[in-house]
Amino acid sequence: MTTGQLNGISQASLQSLDISALSTGQLQSLTSATVGNLAFYQPRWLSKTQVAALTATQTSGLSRAAVAQLTDEQVGSLSAAAVAGLSQAGIAGLGKSQIRALSVAALNSLSATQIGGFSSEQAKALTSSQLNGLNQANLNALDAGDFTTAQLQGLSGGLTNLSTSQVSQLSQVQLVALDPSQLGSLGGGSVSALSTQHLAQLSAQQTASLLANQANSLSVAQISSFSDKQLSTTTVVGAANGLQFNLSWGSSTANAPAGFRSAVVAAAAGLSNQFGNTTVVNIQVGYGEVAGSPVSPGAAAQSVSYARGVSYSALATAILGYAGNSAVQGTAAASLSGSDPTSGGSFAITTAEAKALGINGASANLDGYIGLSSAIPFEFNQNAVAGKYDAIGAIQHEFSEVMGRLSSVGAGLGPNVYTPLDLFRYTSTNNADPSAGTPIRALTQQSGNVQYFSINSGNPNLGGFNSSTGAADYGDWNATMGTDPFGFSFSGVTEPLSGNDVVVMAALGWNPTAQGVTHAQAAATYALV
């Protein structure tokens, strides 16, 4: 029969034909409409060779019932182009074993719309090799909520290739069944999309893996949803290939109230969100004590840091080395003197900051201790509550001191001893009338609110420091800075990190992330003092 005859005969006559006797050329001459007029069982008569010869024109005419009648071998013989030609109705006719018979090339010939139309049973039928062979668009078109536990566990890239939308589709049952390493492999956007209801179902091991690798992408609310039991095995908090805090929980923390651990974790996570050095800061955490001694009465928290001596030359070289990491650091580095401005003083640098600057190598030794007061009422989830203090802000205050936010001004840490922060401490040659004076480094002790932070040789003023003759820490902001975590603790308010805080830490050698750069750009400036 000719092409014209085959495509022109009546449906009844067509359905009486033995199409297995048609040549490859005759089959390929059939129009979509002609194929659609075949009885649903006729395509099953075709040989493997005949099926392999079908083009998209012929397969586009196959009905759902006709596709369902094909053998697994026939489906596996379809070319990628022929599979792509299937209508959505035809694709819906594919059974589980037929789905498994499709090659990866055939699956990838489907559009994202076509594969996104897979039913739950069809999606569940995909093998691990098929899923791992899908192109990104087709993988992301599937409803991840349809995946079995075995499919999720078989993803070669963990969950890294799933979209944020797909991760949000996962059920609590699916999340709980995941290997801890898979949760740790989630992308930042996916992590931020996890609901607190989902997070509350994770095991302690899953929680630990997530926090070690993606804590920087979790919000305070998400971290606050973790119970103390979930946090029982958490030690490392931060970002994979970024800033991490290795927390050792002192015995005193066994007596800490509910929410204490999550506040410590949230404080660490917030800092790792802002700074991206590939550095591990080792800190022991206490409740009511710091390094075995009671937290001082009236103090919200305290820290003790390990430090080492460094020459001005080595310190300046290290600071100049970070100049290209951000505009803030470039400006700070450019403000340094070519020679030692202390004329022979010694410099003390915390071991954590030394690691960040590359002066020290990686080490598992403790970098310091922090302790939260047990005598003061705290709110642990950074919500403002009357009469309570912000625990997260207070903990970040102490973490930042272990990270190097300390000032000595030739006195605090001993006679003629200075810190890297002192290199960015300024005052005026005329504090009675600053506009008539000139900014100079404040390398000697002065009373009153006349010393301030600057990364640009004294102008602008990016925040006032405490007096260097009083009892308060010289490197903390003074009361004019208000409710900032690097200053005083106030009750009834939250004290989240400010842009000025990010700039301080960046000047000390902590490289801001993209979020940190944005935050630093919002730093407030003040009148010269």
Side-chain angles (χ1 to χ4, degrees):
M1 296 180 71
T2 66
T3 298
Q5 289 173 318
L6 284 170
N7 289 314
I9 62 175
S10 67
Q11 185 175 28
S13 297
L14 181 66
Q15 292 183 354
S16 69
L17 285 176
D18 179 1
I19 64 171
S20 67
L22 296 177
S23 68
T24 296
Q26 286 174 309
L27 281 171
Q28 291 179 332
S29 72
L30 298 180
T31 65
S32 176
T34 299
V35 173
N37 284 330
L38 292 171
F40 71 91
Y41 50 80
Q42 283 180 288
R44 189 182 178 93
W45 298 344
L46 298 175
S47 69
K48 182 177 178 180
T49 301
Q50 287 174 308
V51 170
L54 296 177
T55 68
T57 299
Q58 286 84 57
T59 55
S60 66
L62 291 173
S63 66
R64 174 173 180 162
V67 171
Q69 283 292 309
L70 296 175
T71 66
D72 296 347
E73 185 179 38
Q74 286 176 310
V75 170
S77 298
L78 288 169
S79 68
V83 172
L86 290 170
S87 66
Q88 205 67 49
I91 291 172
L94 292 168
K96 291 188 287 185
S97 61
Q98 291 173 310
I99 289 287
R100 295 189 190 100
L102 291 170
S103 68
V104 169
L107 286 167
N108 280 328
S109 73
L110 296 173
S111 67
T113 299
Q114 286 175 306
I115 204 165
F118 274 19
S119 68
S120 176
E121 289 304 308
Q122 288 176 314
K124 285 181 170 66
L126 291 166
T127 66
S128 293
S129 60
Q130 286 175 315
L131 281 173
N132 290 321
L134 289 178
N135 60 46
Q136 194 69 53
N138 280 356
L139 176 64
N140 294 155
L142 292 166
D143 186 336
D146 292 331
F147 292 167
T148 65
T149 299
Q151 285 176 311
L152 287 170
Q153 292 176 336
L155 292 175
S156 60
L159 303 184
T160 55
N161 291 326
L162 296 185
S163 67
T164 298
S165 174
Q166 284 178 302
V167 173
S168 68
Q169 292 165 350
L170 296 176
S171 68
Q172 291 184 7
V173 172
Q174 288 173 305
L175 279 174
V176 170
L178 292 174
D179 184 90
S181 64
Q182 288 182 297
L183 276 171
S185 73
L186 281 172
S190 297
V191 169
S192 62
L194 291 172
S195 69
T196 55
Q197 290 83 359
H198 284 131
L199 293 173
Q201 301 301 314
L202 300 182
S203 68
Q205 291 72 27
Q206 288 175 313
T207 302
S209 179
L210 185 63
L211 289 171
N213 295 283
Q214 293 291 348
N216 60 310
S217 299
L218 290 166
S219 68
V220 170
Q222 286 175 305
I223 293 173
S224 296
S225 70
F226 291 126
S227 66
D228 285 348
K229 182 177 180 180
Q230 287 178 290
L231 297 174
S232 62
T233 62
T234 292
T235 54
V236 179
V237 177
N241 302 312
L243 175 59
Q244 294 178 316
F245 292 83
N246 182 25
L247 307 171
S248 54
W249 303 92
S251 59
S252 59
T253 61
N255 302 316
F260 170 81
R261 281 200 178 222
S262 64
V264 174
V265 170
L271 289 166
S272 68
N273 174 271
Q274 298 293 311
F275 307 103
N277 304 62
T278 307
T279 303
V280 178
V281 181
N282 305 304
I283 297 179
Q284 184 175 107
V285 180
Y287 179 65
E289 56 83 21
V290 57
S293 297
V295 173
S296 297
Q302 280 184 293
S303 69
V304 174
S305 302
Y306 287 103
R308 56 156 291 178
V310 63
S311 68
Y312 177 77
S313 175
L315 178 59
T317 298
I319 291 176
L320 289 169
Y322 73 43
N325 292 324
S326 66
V328 164
Q329 292 170 297
T331 300
S335 73
L336 293 185
S337 303
S339 58
D340 181 1
T342 68
S343 300
S346 60
F347 281 84
I349 181 171
T350 67
T351 56
E353 185 181 3
K355 287 189 287 189
L357 286 171
I359 294 173
N360 280 10
S363 170
N365 295 330
L366 273 181
D367 294 303
Y369 304 78
I370 70 105
L372 193 69
S373 173
S374 58
I376 292 176
F378 285 100
E379 182 66 14
F380 296 108
N381 55 11
Q382 209 146 51
N383 289 328
V385 176
K388 291 188 176 183
Y389 293 80
D390 179 2
I392 295 174
I395 294 166
Q396 286 179 330
H397 180 119
E398 305 309 326
F399 277 166
S400 67
E401 291 183 344
V402 175
M403 294 165 71
R405 192 184 57 81
L406 300 169
S407 187
S408 178
V409 198
L413 299 178
N416 212 28
V417 176
Y418 300 85
T419 69
L421 184 57
D422 290 337
L423 297 175
F424 305 101
R425 189 181 188 99
Y426 287 84
T427 188
S428 172
T429 55
N430 185 351
N431 286 319
D433 183 7
S435 62
T438 302
I440 57 169
R441 277 199 177 86
L443 296 175
T444 57
Q445 291 180 283
Q446 296 184 65
S447 61
N449 294 329
V450 297
Q451 297 175 320
Y452 62 92
F453 170 66
S454 177
I455 60 171
N456 194 28
S457 302
N459 193 7
N461 168 2
L462 292 175
F465 285 125
N466 281 331
S467 163
S468 53
T469 60
D473 289 347
Y474 301 169
D476 288 356
W477 300 134
N478 61 36
T480 66
M481 296 293 285
T483 57
D484 189 291
F486 288 3
F488 293 96
S489 290
F490 295 89
S491 67
V493 297
T494 62
E495 296 193 317
L497 288 170
S498 69
N500 298 67
D501 301 332
V502 175
V503 176
V504 165
M505 299 308 292
L508 295 177
W510 298 96
N511 305 329
T513 60
Q515 295 92 330
V517 168
T518 299
H519 208 171
Q521 290 170 344
T525 59
Y526 302 88
L528 297 181
V529 293

